[in-house]
Each structure stands twice: as structure tokens, then as C-alpha cells.
Amino acid sequence: MKISRLYAKQIDYHMGNKVWNPKIQFPTKEVIIVFIETDTGHIGVGEIWAFYGSSRSIIEIIKQDIAPIVEGEDPTFIERIHALVGGLAPIGSIEGILMNALSGIDLALWDLQGKVHNSPLYKLLGPLRDKVYTYASGGLYGHDKTQADLQAETKGYIDEGFDAVKIKIGGLSQEEDIARVAATREAIGASAKLMVDAVHAYDVPQALRIAEKIRPYDIYWFESPVALSDVAGHGILNTRGGIPVCANESLYGLSSYFDLMKVRGAEYIHFDLTVCGGITMAKKIAALAEAYDLKCTLHAANGIHLFQTSIHFAAAIPNVESVEYHHVHQWMRDSAPSEAMAHQNGYVRPLEASGIGTHFITPEFVDQQIAAQKEISESQR
């Protein structure tokens, strides 16, 4: 079996700038779908979004740089493909946008393995559990969104059966965000877990200051409190801030996570399969975290394929505590099997079809999505 074609397509889902976090306002959500076709007729699918560079630059890197050296390779030789892509980096280490692209290719390769072996991915990885704990993620900022709106939103997650909720902070003054945290705690009750995500909005003194103020509201974790590059700052917040730190979804490669763990920069090691290096690298990151006796949690704020990929991965990895169940970014959910995001008290099962199980995502389906979103864009002009 050989790879006959590698390519990617981009869907621009329109969001109209209605919601934002401390760093990003969302006119669109750009979803990249990676396809790997083989000479045996199998197709592997990976889903990513651009953490580094633009979506179009990732697609061009796949087309111009990676496809020529990967096509013709045996798709079961995943580590070899990682090494080939690594050879494109001038200093021999995979960085930024190249790792983002490789992550999508890796996810497509693992989906392909499941399809070739007619096995759900989590069983191919070595299953530990058949359902995965998820938490409700939302609490973004929005136009004219009041505290009452935030309370109704987050209480709705509890009413839906979740027992943990994550909201954003760092996009308003500290006084306003403290009030949002207090309002959320009141809405979800004393027993539910409450996480906050600052998306790297603070410097160390600011983060320590707000940690002190929100600590009485029993915060389960403080996510991405300071700049991504400030490894020492994460260590300070985690050891002195009084709230466990969760970090960092935008990191990639094993050495970056090793640097974070060396300074005890987080109690919850946070990674995203679309940027860290895919499943192949995520297994190594989780094993390193296990050696430090640390728990892992997966960021999943894109589409249904990434969400289910994360569920499959978490079902096979002992120290993965949770997967993000995003209530804003759920692209392609309407076309997916109903069980893909079905949950019972926050627990989600991996799909039992081969690979990731989202077989509806074909090149033709993606073309239809692209055309539909283009019509929406033109109608709004």
C-alpha cells in the first residue's frame, strides 16, 4: 500500500464577529481538512486549524513541500513520514507552521490505519475505556452579552448534564472579569467544576493578582495565564498562584512540553492534536507527563472530526483526564452521526465505525460545505 495523493481543503465557516476571546475575534472559523488517498482506495482524513501562519499557507506547504516527498510512501510508516517532513526544516527541527501541517497529516494517517484494519481508532491504539469525560466550554465574550446572559449560558450546560464549565477571562478589566467569574459560580452551583482560560492575556503580576481575587470561587484550573513563551512565568503561577495551571494548547513537540514540566509550569498538561504533532507526538507528550505524575487534557475547539479524534485518543491514554466539549466551535455537527457528540453526564463514547468514524467527511462533502459557506458570504454582502 502506497500514498497516491496528499492534499488539503479549507472551509470558511462564517461567524460574523459575534463572539471573541481575549486574543481572537471570529469573523470566520477556518477549518482545514487533510486527505490522504492510497493506491488501495482507502482515504484517511485529518482536521486542523491554523495555530501558526494562515490556513492557506498550511495548504500550500502541504501541496508544494510535503506532498512531493510523502506521496509514494507506505502510510503505515508514520514515524518515517514524520522524519521526512522534519527534513524540510533548515535546522533539523520541525517548527510552527510545518508542525501544524504535519499534525493534520498525522491525524489522517491514523484515521487511515483504522480504516485499513477495519477498527475504531481507540481500539487500534489500545483501549483503556469506552467513554471519555468532557467539560462544557464556552463563556466567550459577545456583543451586548450581559452577566445574566453568561449565567443562563453556563447554567444551561449544567442542566444539560455537564458537571464542569470553562469560561474566558482576560478580555475585560480585572474587576469585570472577576464579576463574570462570580456570576458563573453562582449560576452553576458550588459542586460543579469551574475553569477559567485567559488565552495568555496577562503578565505575571497581573495573573497573580487576578488569581488571588478569583481563588475564593473554587477555580479548578487557570488556563494559559501568561505569554506562551514565558515558561518561568507559568512555573510561578502554578506554584505560587494558589490555582492549578493548565497549559498549553499552542505548544508543539516534545522539548517544549519538557521545558514546561521541568519548572512545574502546569498541573494539567494541555495539548491540541492539530498542533502538537498529531497522535504520534501526543502519545509521547502524555507519556512524559505520566513520568512527572501529571494529568493531561485535550483542547478541541474546531469541528466534529477533531472532537471525535480527541475522544478516541483519550480513550486509550491513561493520564488523559478530559476533552474539551466546545459549545461554540462544533463545525459539521449537523452532518455527523448523532452519537458523535452525544453525551451522558458529560461522558462521550468514541464512534465504533472504522478509523475516527466520521465517514461522511469526503472530498465531495467538503466541496459542498465550501460552496454553501460561499453562498452565505455572498448573501451577506
Side-chain angles (χ1 to χ4, degrees), residues 20 41 57 66 83 113 141 145 160 168 180 205 224 263 320 335:
W20 57 89
S57 62
I66 301 178
Q113 310 313 307
Y141 301 101
K145 186 174 183 177
E160 192 180 327
K168 295 294 187 274
R180 293 175 77 253
S224 303
V263 299
V320 173
S335 303

Side-chain angles (χ1 to χ4, degrees), residues 155 158 183-194 217-218:
K155 184 179 184 301
I158 301 301
T184 302
R185 172 52 75 194
E186 180 182 29
I188 68 176
S191 61
K193 300 183 184 77
L194 174 57
Y217 299 105
D218 189 20

Side-chain angles (χ1 to χ4, degrees), residues 3-143:
I3 296 173
S4 57
R5 189 181 178 199
L6 164 64
Y7 58 100
K9 295 172 178 280
Q10 175 180 332
I11 312 170
D12 295 339
Y13 288 103
H14 292 272
M15 298 181 67
N17 286 315
K18 295 178 181 178
V19 294
W20 57 89
N21 67 35
K23 294 292 185 181
I24 304 172
Q25 190 151 353
F26 294 100
T28 61
K29 182 72 171 185
E30 299 174 348
V31 176
I32 304 167
I33 305 296
V34 178
F35 292 103
I36 294 178
E37 299 179 0
T38 71
D39 56 5
T40 57
H42 295 93
I43 300 180
V45 180
E47 180 196 343
I48 58 175
W49 74 289
F51 274 78
Y52 295 93
S54 69
S55 299
R56 288 165 182 78
S57 62
I58 289 176
I59 291 171
E60 283 301 304
I61 281 177
I62 290 174
K63 178 181 178 181
Q64 302 294 340
D65 299 307
I66 301 178
I69 63 172
V70 167
E71 289 173 355
E73 290 291 324
D74 184 331
T76 65
F77 280 53
I78 298 178
E79 287 284 4
R80 172 175 165 78
I81 291 170
H82 271 252
L84 288 171
V85 175
L88 293 172
I91 58 173
S93 62
I94 306 178
E95 300 291 343
I97 189 171
L98 193 58
M99 183 64 91
N100 214 168
L102 177 58
S103 297
I105 294 165
D106 183 271
L107 299 183
L109 288 168
W110 280 102
D111 180 49
L112 181 65
Q113 310 313 307
K115 290 172 177 173
V116 168
H117 293 283
N118 195 29
S119 169
L121 177 60
Y122 80 105
K123 292 184 178 178
L124 197 65
L125 291 171
L128 173 67
R129 51 182 78 92
D130 62 1
K131 60 182 180 180
V132 172
Y133 179 75
T134 69
Y135 63 87
S137 180
L140 276 70
Y141 301 101
H143 289 295

Side-chain angles (χ1 to χ4, degrees), residues 289-331:
E290 189 174 18
Y292 277 91
D293 197 25
L294 294 169
K295 295 177 181 178
C296 297
T297 182
L298 270 65
H299 177 257
N302 213 48
I304 183 61
H305 187 72
L306 173 63
F307 177 74
Q308 262 295 322
T309 305
S310 301
I311 294 294
H312 278 272
F313 180 83
I317 306 300
N319 59 327
V320 173
E321 180 188 78
S322 60
V323 171
E324 182 172 23
Y325 191 114
H326 215 290
H327 282 70
V328 176
H329 301 299
Q330 299 182 349
W331 311 111

Side-chain angles (χ1 to χ4, degrees), residues 171-219:
L172 297 174
S173 69
Q174 289 207 355
E175 290 73 19
E176 290 172 293
D177 273 334
I178 292 164
R180 293 175 77 253
V181 170
T184 302
R185 172 52 75 194
E186 180 182 29
I188 68 176
S191 61
K193 300 183 184 77
L194 174 57
M195 301 91 148
V196 297
D197 177 12
V199 198
H200 311 291
Y202 303 121
D203 59 27
V204 171
Q206 291 170 336
L208 287 171
R209 192 176 307 121
I210 197 167
E212 181 182 5
K213 298 293 186 181
I214 64 175
R215 195 162 54 238
Y217 299 105
D218 189 20
I219 307 302

